[in-house]
Amino acid sequence: MNAECGQVSADDKNDKEMLPFQYRESKSERLSRLPNEASAEMGSSDMESKGPELFEVGPSNDGYQMGLLIGQKFSKEIRSRLAGDLILQNQLRPFAQTPQGKQLIEALSDNNRNKFPRYWDELLGTAAGSGVSLLDVCLVSALQVVLINFRKEILPFVPKTLQVSSPESVDTIDDCSDVLVVSEDLAIAAHNEDANVALVDHIYLIKAKLQNGLVFVGYTYAGELPSCAFGFNTHGLAFTLNSVPPSEHEIMAGGIGRNFVSRDLLEATSMADALRIIHSCEVSVGHCYNLIYMPDRKILNVETTSRNRVSVREIGTTPFFHANMYLHLQVDQVQDDNSKCRQERAAVLAKTSKEDFLSILGDMGTKDTPFT
């Protein structure tokens, strides 16, 4: 593959330069650095804006210890994110106090803890390290950190009486876009990461080393498992993610959370292993995975939903654009006009070079539904 899917080097000191796919700056990152840019234009000495901070942890296989170190390092960011996250404060926390909420969170906690005990310990360590207070629900103490990690699995069950209309309190499905292609001359996975405004200044990079020698890097939302966005490891496996919205009747209450699946993907040893991980999880909601395996020069687009329904599409010479809607898995889904407009706009734009792909992800040609 060319530079967009280049070889991962565990010893590279600048991990943002070793991304095995082309990454476009997120809306959250742009918003967070606007003050610095304004200062620079006015002659300030702060001429260089900062991106997400990179934190190296390990070597260790102790999930709790790894999470504890991450929580301690980013305690300020985690606590700030939780305090300002209106989805958490106005919807998840009140719902967690109801009988229905307690039952759902207990089921999610039990099922994910049993399937992924090390990652569950990592979550608890992150919460403990950050000093986040406990929120008493069901038979155990579930942390606010647990609630944000199960955000997508909980929100479909929140009563409309707890849902509010302010933009900051709405969990949007128009989160990101990807353009993929694999040909003799070009192999690119270009990704645009966007999310709720609560994540501004609440993002960091985790570089984790395990005792077996594996190293992974995950773009991480404060307080969440790495990574619900994108990541890669020294086996040459990388992925980006697209949120997809199955209809409510398609969702399985209490299933495996998407954050736990993607955390496991960071330790996948091959494309086959990544597919095994995805197929083996009884997910609650569903997700879209863009899997990149550099040794075989292969990219797969994988759409999933509950009851082990999975559709795999291998990317070839025809450029493939994916927003936040199911394209090839047959499932009832929430109609998303934003994603439909992005799909239609991408279809008419040039896609012959890396520059074209990046231009698509930053396109503003459709005023009401820009890509970024």
Side-chain angles (χ1 to χ4, degrees):
M1 286 191 175
N2 61 2
E4 285 69 40
C5 292
Q7 183 63 41
V8 173
S9 168
D11 296 323
D12 195 320
K13 294 182 180 180
N14 188 350
D15 292 86
K16 289 174 73 177
E17 295 299 321
M18 59 187 254
L19 291 176
F21 46 85
Q22 187 67 45
Y23 164 61
R24 187 173 182 86
E25 179 184 47
S26 73
K27 184 187 302 178
S28 296
E29 286 179 308
R30 275 201 316 282
L31 288 172
S32 68
R33 65 178 176 80
L34 283 177
N36 283 339
E37 288 189 342
S39 297
E41 290 174 358
M42 292 185 292
S44 168
S45 60
D46 185 11
M47 296 294 290
E48 184 176 345
S49 61
K50 296 180 180 179
E53 182 176 356
L54 174 71
F55 179 58
E56 296 189 24
V57 59
S60 175
N61 283 339
D62 186 323
Y64 186 86
Q65 181 64 20
M66 182 178 294
L68 186 70
L69 293 173
I70 294 171
Q72 290 172 342
K73 171 64 177 178
F74 295 107
S75 174
K76 178 181 177 181
E77 290 82 359
I78 294 171
R79 293 165 68 92
S80 174
R81 183 259 171 106
L82 297 182
D85 190 328
L86 296 185
I87 295 174
L88 171 65
Q89 301 301 336
N90 294 342
Q91 298 186 57
L92 298 180
R93 289 194 63 174
F95 179 62
Q97 302 291 350
T98 67
Q100 181 188 5
K102 292 178 180 180
Q103 183 178 14
L104 175 60
I105 295 165
E106 182 178 4
L108 285 167
S109 300
D110 287 345
N111 290 334
N112 285 270
R113 179 174 57 243
N114 290 337
K115 186 169 182 61
F116 297 112
R118 181 158 56 90
Y119 307 151
W120 182 263
D121 287 346
E122 191 174 318
L123 258 193
L124 298 183
T126 300
S130 66
V132 175
S133 61
L134 291 176
L135 175 66
D136 293 326
V137 295
C138 47
L139 300 178
V140 297
S141 293
L143 302 160
Q144 293 187 72
V145 167
V146 171
L147 295 181
I148 61 171
N149 276 271
F150 287 137
R151 181 180 71 255
K152 295 289 187 178
E153 288 74 29
I154 296 174
L155 281 173
F157 300 95
V158 174
K160 295 188 183 302
T161 54
L162 292 178
Q163 298 176 14
V164 291
S165 58
S166 65
E168 296 83 0
S169 298
V170 176
D171 188 54
T172 59
I173 56 177
D174 52 321
D175 290 332
C176 51
S177 305
D178 278 78
V179 196
L180 315 168
V181 69
V182 178
S183 65
E184 290 185 4
D185 302 323
L186 204 60
I188 293 179
H191 177 79
N192 181 347
E193 182 69 23
D194 278 326
N196 189 277
V197 69
L199 292 168
V200 173
D201 290 331
H202 301 133
I203 297 167
Y204 43 81
L205 289 164
I206 298 300
K207 180 178 181 180
K209 302 179 181 180
L210 305 186
Q211 289 178 343
N212 63 6
L214 173 70
V215 179
F216 69 76
V217 174
Y219 183 92
T220 308
Y221 296 169
E224 299 192 35
L225 288 171
S227 163
C228 63
F230 57 82
F232 57 94
N233 66 32
T234 46
H235 286 299
L237 190 285
F239 62 85
T240 69
L241 305 174
N242 302 121
S243 176
V244 284
S247 298
E248 288 187 17
H249 72 272
E250 299 278 9
I251 298 171
M252 182 178 69
I256 298 301
R258 303 182 316 164
N259 281 15
F260 283 83
V261 180
S262 56
R263 173 62 184 84
D264 204 27
L265 284 177
L266 285 171
E267 300 187 21
T269 59
S270 65
M271 183 69 85
D273 191 34
L275 290 173
R276 177 197 60 77
I277 290 169
I278 292 171
H279 278 277
S280 68
C281 293
E282 289 275 0
V283 297
S284 175
V285 182
H287 219 3
C288 173
Y289 304 90
N290 301 299
L291 302 178
I292 306 152
Y293 190 53
M294 289 171 284
D296 290 347
R297 202 171 184 269
K298 178 179 286 190
I299 300 176
L300 301 179
N301 177 261
V302 184
E303 295 181 343
T304 72
T305 193
S306 61
R307 298 188 291 280
N308 277 337
R309 288 172 289 174
V310 180
S311 177
V312 180
R313 176 169 178 172
E314 182 167 356
I315 304 304
T317 58
T318 301
F320 180 79
F321 178 85
H322 202 287
N324 304 111
M325 57 189 293
Y326 288 100
L327 297 180
H328 48 92
L329 180 63
Q330 298 303 306
V331 55
D332 289 340
Q333 62 182 308
V334 177
Q335 294 303 306
D336 175 22
D337 291 337
N338 184 293
S339 283
K340 289 177 64 177
C341 287
R342 278 183 282 157
Q343 291 286 158
E344 293 169 359
R345 177 64 177 166
V348 301
L349 295 175
K351 294 179 282 293
T352 59
S353 67
K354 178 181 72 174
E355 290 71 25
D356 288 342
F357 280 35
L358 293 179
S359 179
I360 290 172
L361 295 182
D363 180 71
M364 299 291 288
T366 306
K367 182 177 64 174
D368 294 332
T369 55
F371 284 62
T372 57

